Amino acid sequence: MNPEKNPASANQPDTVFSDADQRHMRRALELARSAMYRTSPNPRVGCVLVKDGVVLGEGATLAAGHDHAEVQAVKQAWERGHAVQGATAYVTLEPCAHHGRTPPCADLLAMQGVRRVVAAMTDPNPLVAGKGLERLTQSGVQVQTGLFAVEAREINIGFISRMVRGTPWVRLKVAASLDGVTALPNGTSQWITAEAARADGHHWRARACAVLTGLGTVRADDPQLNVRAVSTPRQPIRIVIDSRLELPATARLLQSAASALWLVHALPAQVATPRLEALRAAARPGLDLQDIALPADADKPGKTDLRALIAALGQRGINELHCEAGEKLNGSLLRAGVVDELLLYLAPSLLGQGAGLAALGPFYTLADGLPLRWHAVDPVGDDLRILARTPSSLSF
């Protein structure tokens, strides 16, 4: 099962939509999913142009700064010798109405004489937010929305989060035994889950804008934090919470320039600058090494303010943040209330004592625990993948 699948996909669309409408929008959703790994920080959008039951052209959003889905669909129609006048455009997100790196897609569809636009959902971007549909309506185009809106939202849940809340969708990934052990007392954790689950985890890494961990995990595991098990046109940004900039100069993170490395710290500039210069000197040439200086947590001297970090990442265009850390940082992220979703892989084994999923508590009543909402449960090879969402995921 694809990691993007949403169990709510069985919802019945509004009866104003025909079987043909549903079929073409499903195809548009497939196209949007095909752009899952490349559009950051833009949303993933699919478009299908249809006239008299014939598909004239299809498109999916390219990388930022390149064609949007609507442009791709129109170009393909032209290449096939079709004029799109009088066609219906099925789009998974409201066509944009502003000049960014590319011209407004709403204007393109109107100028090409598209008769009808069916959008799965409106665009929460304040620069659009209904303006695209309004432009189309003013141009005489029939507009309808709401067809498979739940599926469309799931595809762009990080983008929507950033537009509405100003912060990314934060996903916390953990691999554990059935009794919740993530590492043995001696630190051994590779590999608790089997190869299929590990590959599936790389799909989730690939769709994220950035992968985050803590200095403790870097010291213990020396991870690369890159995508290896699946093909991807871009590598996510790698982020390490390193409050005192103590990243080892020998860390493998410094030896790859395939994506940027951001170090999050709580040091004044006069202390941080020489430490950063030393790390840059030890890094592979061409590595984009940046720092994010944040205030220390008021309740935990010397520790980074995690809420401030998540807000800063939203300002930097991060839609989906994929976290892979140890139980201490996992616990801190959950206590800070910044985690939206747990991506949990459970192996069919019992390991007894060892590190847990997250350092929480101690709690003295059951009501003190963190409530979660089941979102999806699926087998992946011999293991089980659970998606569970936190109260913060309901805030938009």
Side-chain angles (χ1 to χ4, degrees):
M1 183 178 296
N2 291 331
E4 297 85 14
K5 181 178 177 184
N6 173 20
S9 62
N11 67 313
Q12 294 298 313
D14 195 298
T15 54
V16 301
F17 297 110
S18 67
D19 290 344
D21 289 334
Q22 295 176 41
R23 183 173 67 254
H24 295 310
M25 185 60 81
R26 287 193 185 98
R27 175 56 182 162
L29 290 167
E30 289 178 5
L31 291 165
R33 293 188 185 99
S34 75
M36 187 67 67
Y37 303 157
R38 68 172 180 243
T39 65
S40 176
N42 292 340
R44 303 125 176 173
V45 182
C47 177
V48 178
L49 289 169
V50 181
K51 183 177 180 181
D52 298 329
V54 177
V55 175
L56 308 181
E58 299 180 339
T61 306
L62 300 180
H66 297 276
D67 288 347
H68 288 190
E70 298 91 330
V71 177
Q72 284 284 294
V74 169
K75 284 184 176 180
Q76 187 178 93
W78 291 343
E79 291 170 357
R80 293 175 174 177
H82 299 303
V84 299
Q85 185 173 7
T88 295
Y90 297 90
V91 191
T92 58
L93 187 68
E94 173 187 2
C96 62
H98 66 290
H99 281 273
R101 297 177 182 177
T102 58
C105 292
D107 291 352
L108 170 68
L109 295 178
M111 288 187 296
Q112 292 301 315
V114 168
R115 178 184 63 84
R116 176 177 175 236
V117 170
V118 180
M121 61 176 291
T122 56
D123 190 337
N125 186 342
L127 297 174
V128 185
K131 298 182 182 70
L133 299 179
E134 183 180 357
R135 283 197 190 187
L136 290 165
T137 300
Q138 290 174 349
S139 298
V141 179
Q142 179 187 351
V143 171
Q144 291 175 283
T145 61
L147 178 57
F148 296 133
V150 171
E151 289 84 348
R153 183 180 187 274
E154 287 296 317
I155 291 171
N156 284 309
I157 197 163
F159 175 78
I160 296 169
S161 173
R162 183 166 65 87
M163 291 297 106
V164 174
R165 303 187 297 184
T167 56
W169 178 265
V170 179
R171 182 177 295 114
L172 183 61
K173 180 258 183 180
V174 182
S177 62
L178 196 58
D179 51 351
V181 174
T182 59
L184 298 178
N186 64 5
T188 299
S189 62
Q190 296 180 336
W191 300 99
I192 290 177
T193 53
E195 184 176 353
R198 298 197 298 274
D200 189 74
H202 278 254
H203 280 280
W204 293 91
R205 275 192 190 182
R207 68 173 282 169
C209 300
V211 178
L212 178 141
T213 195
L215 179 63
T217 297
V218 174
R219 284 174 166 164
D221 299 335
D222 196 18
Q224 299 179 69
L225 297 186
N226 59 0
V227 178
R228 300 183 299 279
V230 299
S231 177
T232 178
R234 62 148 181 90
Q235 289 288 339
I237 295 165
R238 299 162 298 160
I239 304 175
V240 178
I241 298 178
D242 184 6
S243 297
R244 292 180 290 274
L245 288 178
E246 296 173 333
L247 184 76
T250 57
R252 289 198 293 176
L253 288 171
L254 294 171
Q255 301 310 312
S256 171
S259 66
L261 175 62
W262 296 355
L263 301 181
V264 181
H265 64 88
L267 295 175
Q270 63 269 26
V271 177
T273 298
R275 297 186 185 186
L276 288 166
E277 289 177 350
L279 290 172
R280 289 191 176 101
R284 182 188 182 95
L287 173 63
D288 180 11
L289 176 60
Q290 302 180 26
D291 73 306
I292 302 177
L294 295 173
D297 191 318
D299 299 324
K300 297 179 181 179
K303 296 293 185 181
T304 300
D305 186 327
L306 295 176
R307 292 188 183 92
L309 169 60
I310 299 305
L313 294 180
Q315 293 171 358
R316 287 174 174 241
I318 301 299
N319 292 335
E320 291 187 24
L321 180 65
H322 181 92
C323 304
E324 295 192 23
E327 64 174 348
K328 290 183 179 179
L329 180 53
N330 287 350
S332 296
L333 290 165
L334 289 165
R335 286 194 300 273
V338 298
V339 175
D340 295 300
E341 183 172 67
L342 271 69
L343 171 62
L344 178 60
Y345 294 93
L346 290 181
S349 64
L350 301 175
L351 296 179
Q353 294 183 348
L357 301 176
L360 295 172
F363 299 131
Y364 299 101
T365 70
L366 295 177
D368 292 334
L370 177 67
L372 299 172
R373 177 169 54 90
W374 299 122
H375 184 68
V377 179
D378 296 289
V380 178
D382 294 331
D383 301 310
L384 194 66
R385 182 186 66 213
I386 298 174
L387 282 173
R389 292 184 171 174
T390 68
S392 68
S393 70
L394 306 177
S395 63
F396 72 103

